[in-house]
């Protein structure tokens, strides 16, 4: 009887083990790439209606220049951050109402204001991408509070981007280079971290740029370079994600009802509809509260070399949508239009 | 951080995607070509090629990291041209490697650096 050398048996075991690992990894990756909740056509007769553009005319400092952050106040005013290193306040009609900020390091000053959000009491939070801090102002720009510093520890930032406030006044910050979202109390004290750096699995974030809070208190994250929108519960547990791609090399084309290409902004109102700034596809995408595809609208005359729109905001009732079109120095305004159904 | 869209029908597309992903990972893992050359004295402005800089958040990230280099007076990022223009104070000692490191920290692969 032939004897099998021990080393040969060990080699076979190693080969079998490696093959098993490869097969399991392939199955896992296959499943990961297809098992997400994918936006599907809900058949809802809702679409975007184009209302027009704003360019910030009337501002003494000049029209909007590369606007990026946008937020809607409870009274309907619209706040915008732009490359003139300022916050611009516009009425719901688009009329210029005021502005503040300049390039410096003082309390009411900025390095690069990017994210902006407005709390229910009208106070305005602004993220400073360059100075790694958050500033809080009254509705007319009076400085109230500053917090944060550069770094990776809790409460610190590396390029804070999109902001959102929940009904209790807590602030959520998309911490771009730290691949996470941080939650703060209204006084600026650190509360929690949502998500973790990664490319795979629930809760993994890769360069998040936008956040929004749903009417029922869930957090939406525009997980830009994982090409998806993720939902978290109030405790920070990941609960859902939408967007379909393969290994981030597969952004779907503009007509896609299944995925995004670098979704940088997200917003939602009391009607539950979710609006996504699908910047790499140069469009706004409307989703149902569950993440199903409802409609989309391409940005006219968009610059193919610059991803845009960057951020999106919505009126409290969810019926008017505002988006920053950085490459064209303008704000895009859309309405949610319900088409009559034919019996 | 940006990739051009590729449209291939499933299911074969997924396997081709695997190959593409492996290729991309391999290229990311490969060390960039060594470039050196101190820039000092009269060298005041560096034009740095940064490919794939279509997203403003990323472009601002490049600007942020380049601004942290010693002696930087200003950084201008041109997304459409795919380049960053860094102006240094006179007598600033900055090497190409420092610039490349800053671009990599911002999530990009640095390209050619031209001094003016």
């Amino acid at each position: 009887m032939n004897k099998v050398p021990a080393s040969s048996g060990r080699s076979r075991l190693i080969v079998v083990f490696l093959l098993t690992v490869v097969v399991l990894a392939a199955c896992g990756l296959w499943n990961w790439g297809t098992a997400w909740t994918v936006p599907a056509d809900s058949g809802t007769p809702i679409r975007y209606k184009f209302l027009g553009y704003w360019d910030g005319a009337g501002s003494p400092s000049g029209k909007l220049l590369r606007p990026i952050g946008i937020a809607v106040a409870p009274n309907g005013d619209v706040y915008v951050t732009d490359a003139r290193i300022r916050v611009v306040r516009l009425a719901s009609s688009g009329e210029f109402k005021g502005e503040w900020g300049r390039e410096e390091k003082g309390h009411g000053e900025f390095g690069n204001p990017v994210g902006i959000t407005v709390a229910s009491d009208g106070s305005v939070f602004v993220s400073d991408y360059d100075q790694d801090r958050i500033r809080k102002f009254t509705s007319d720009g009076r400085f109230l509070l500053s917090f944060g510093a550069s770094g990776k520890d809790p409460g610190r930032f590396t390029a804070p981007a999109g902001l959102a406030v929940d009904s209790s006044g807590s602030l959520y910050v998309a911490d771009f280079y730290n691949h996470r979202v941080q939650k703060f109390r209204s006084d600026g004290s650190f509360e929690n971290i949502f998500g973790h750096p990664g490319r795979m699995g629930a809760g993994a974030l890769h360069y998040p740029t936008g956040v929004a809070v749903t009417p029922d208190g869930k957090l939406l994250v525009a997980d830009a370079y994982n090409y998806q929108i993720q939902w978290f519960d109030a405790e920070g547990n990941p609960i859902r994600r939408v967007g379909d791609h393969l290994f981030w090399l597969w952004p779907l084309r503009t007509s896609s009802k299944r995925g995004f290409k670098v979704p940088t902004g997200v917003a939602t109102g009391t009607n539950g509809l979710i609006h996504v700034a699908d910047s790499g596809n140069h469009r706004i995408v409307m989703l149902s509260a569950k993440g199903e595809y409802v409609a989309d609208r391409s940005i006219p005359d968009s610059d193919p070399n610059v991803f845009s729109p960057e951020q999106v905001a919505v009126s409290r009732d969810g019926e008017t949508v505002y988006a920053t079109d950085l490459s064209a120095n303008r704000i895009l305004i859309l309405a949610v239009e319900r088409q009559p159904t034919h019996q | 951080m940006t990739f051009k869209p590729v449209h291939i029908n499933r299911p074969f597309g997924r396997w081709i995607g695997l190959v593409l992903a492996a290729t991309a990972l391999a290229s990311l893992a490969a060390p960039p070509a060594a470039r050196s050359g101190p820039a000092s004295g009269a060298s005041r402005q560096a034009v740095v090629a940064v490919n794939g800089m279509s997203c403003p958040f990323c472009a601002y990230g490049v600007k942020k990291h380049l601004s942290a280099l010693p002696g930087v007076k200003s950084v201008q990022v041109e997304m459409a041209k795919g380049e960053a223009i860094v102006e240094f104070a006179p007598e600033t000692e900055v090497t190409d490697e420092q610039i490349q490191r800053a671009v990599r920290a911002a999530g990009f692969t640095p390209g050619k650096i031209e001094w003016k």
Side-chain angles (χ1 to χ4, degrees):
Chain A
M1 194 169 71
N2 293 332
K3 285 186 177 178
V4 178
S7 60
S8 172
R10 203 176 302 124
S11 298
R12 279 184 199 163
L13 274 175
I14 290 170
V15 169
V16 169
F17 174 75
L18 287 175
L19 279 173
T20 307
V21 168
V22 168
V23 169
L24 285 176
C27 290
L29 289 171
W30 183 286
N31 183 59
W32 172 79
T34 57
W36 295 358
T37 304
V38 169
D41 193 341
S42 63
T44 312
I46 302 179
R47 66 180 181 183
Y48 284 121
K49 180 185 178 186
F50 174 69
L51 294 182
Y53 300 110
W54 294 343
D55 62 3
S59 159
S61 307
K63 292 181 180 179
L64 293 172
L65 178 68
R66 297 194 291 278
I68 187 163
I70 191 160
V72 180
N75 68 354
D77 285 355
V78 177
Y79 290 83
V80 182
T81 55
D82 80 350
R84 295 192 196 279
I85 319 295
R86 62 178 177 173
V87 173
V88 178
R89 183 184 185 187
L90 305 167
S92 58
S93 60
E95 185 187 354
F96 175 80
K97 284 185 79 172
E99 62 184 347
W100 71 86
R102 62 174 182 167
E103 187 168 7
E104 262 305 334
K105 294 185 176 177
H107 281 329
E109 299 162 332
F110 307 107
N112 186 6
V114 167
I116 189 163
T117 191
V118 185
S120 55
D121 64 358
S123 56
V124 180
F125 291 90
V126 182
S127 68
D128 195 321
Y129 206 75
D130 284 0
Q131 296 177 4
D132 294 323
R133 57 182 180 175
I134 308 296
R135 290 184 187 79
K136 184 179 180 182
F137 301 91
T138 61
S139 60
D140 55 359
R142 188 166 51 84
F143 174 80
L144 293 174
L145 181 69
S146 177
F147 60 92
S150 301
K152 296 180 177 180
D153 293 338
R156 291 175 174 263
F157 309 107
T158 308
L163 303 176
V165 181
D166 67 17
S167 56
S168 67
S170 291
L171 178 74
Y172 299 84
V173 183
D175 192 2
F176 186 73
Y177 277 106
N178 286 332
H179 310 292
R180 65 188 180 188
V181 172
Q182 296 198 65
K183 184 179 182 182
F184 296 85
R185 299 176 190 91
S186 58
D187 63 358
S189 58
F190 171 78
E191 190 172 344
N192 199 2
I193 288 176
F194 286 37
H196 58 272
R199 309 299 310 264
M200 297 174 65
L205 299 175
H206 197 58
Y207 298 106
T209 48
V211 282
V213 179
T214 65
D216 61 351
K218 308 287 194 305
L219 181 73
L220 292 168
V221 181
D223 186 11
Y225 281 89
N226 277 334
Y227 290 66
Q228 63 185 354
I229 301 297
Q230 289 207 55
W231 278 248
F232 291 83
D233 67 18
E235 284 72 46
N237 303 304
I239 48 179
R240 184 186 302 151
R241 47 192 177 154
V242 300
D244 182 42
H245 65 87
L246 184 69
F247 308 120
W248 329 284
L249 296 173
W250 222 283
L252 299 181
R253 58 189 170 203
T254 302
S255 61
S256 169
K257 296 178 179 179
R258 298 169 64 87
F260 310 109
K261 180 180 177 184
V262 191
T264 48
V266 63
T268 187
T270 52
N271 63 8
L273 291 172
I274 295 164
H275 308 276
V276 179
D278 188 11
S279 69
N281 281 326
H282 302 280
R283 63 176 182 169
I284 302 284
V285 178
M286 190 193 305
L287 305 176
S288 71
K290 293 179 181 176
E292 296 165 319
Y293 172 88
V294 176
D296 68 82
R297 177 88 186 202
S298 292
I299 305 299
D301 312 316
S302 58
D303 182 344
N305 296 311
V306 180
F307 289 176
S308 194
E310 282 67 37
Q311 298 272 278
V312 63
V314 66
S315 59
R316 294 287 154 154
D317 62 3
E319 297 298 310
T320 309
V321 181
Y322 307 87
T324 49
D325 186 5
L326 176 140
S327 61
N329 302 312
R330 65 191 180 183
I331 306 298
L332 173 72
I333 303 114
L334 302 168
V336 174
E337 185 179 54
R338 286 165 181 79
Q339 298 169 277
T341 51
H342 301 286
Q343 300 282 324
Chain B
M1 288 198 290
T2 60
F3 302 96
K4 293 198 170 179
V6 181
H7 309 297
I8 300 174
N9 292 331
R10 294 171 186 179
F12 303 108
R14 292 207 174 273
W15 292 111
I16 297 170
L18 277 169
V19 175
L20 285 174
T23 308
L25 286 173
S27 67
L28 286 173
R35 292 160 59 89
S36 61
S40 62
S43 297
R44 302 277 300 279
Q45 200 178 62
V47 180
V48 190
V50 186
N51 292 325
M53 194 170 48
S54 301
C55 164
F57 294 94
C58 310
Y60 285 160
V62 170
K63 184 182 178 188
K64 179 184 175 82
H65 284 83
L66 287 172
S67 297
L69 290 171
V72 170
K73 288 176 71 181
S74 70
V75 179
Q76 193 180 338
V77 176
E78 298 282 351
M79 276 184 283
K81 291 182 183 173
E83 64 182 29
I85 301 162
V86 191
E87 189 184 354
F88 294 96
E91 309 304 324
T92 302
E93 294 281 346
V94 177
T95 63
D96 285 9
E97 193 181 11
Q98 283 176 287
I99 294 173
Q100 289 167 336
R101 214 166 25 235
V103 172
R104 272 189 223 105
F108 287 88
T109 302
K112 186 180 173 186
I113 299 174
E114 193 178 326
W115 287 92
K116 292 181 178 175

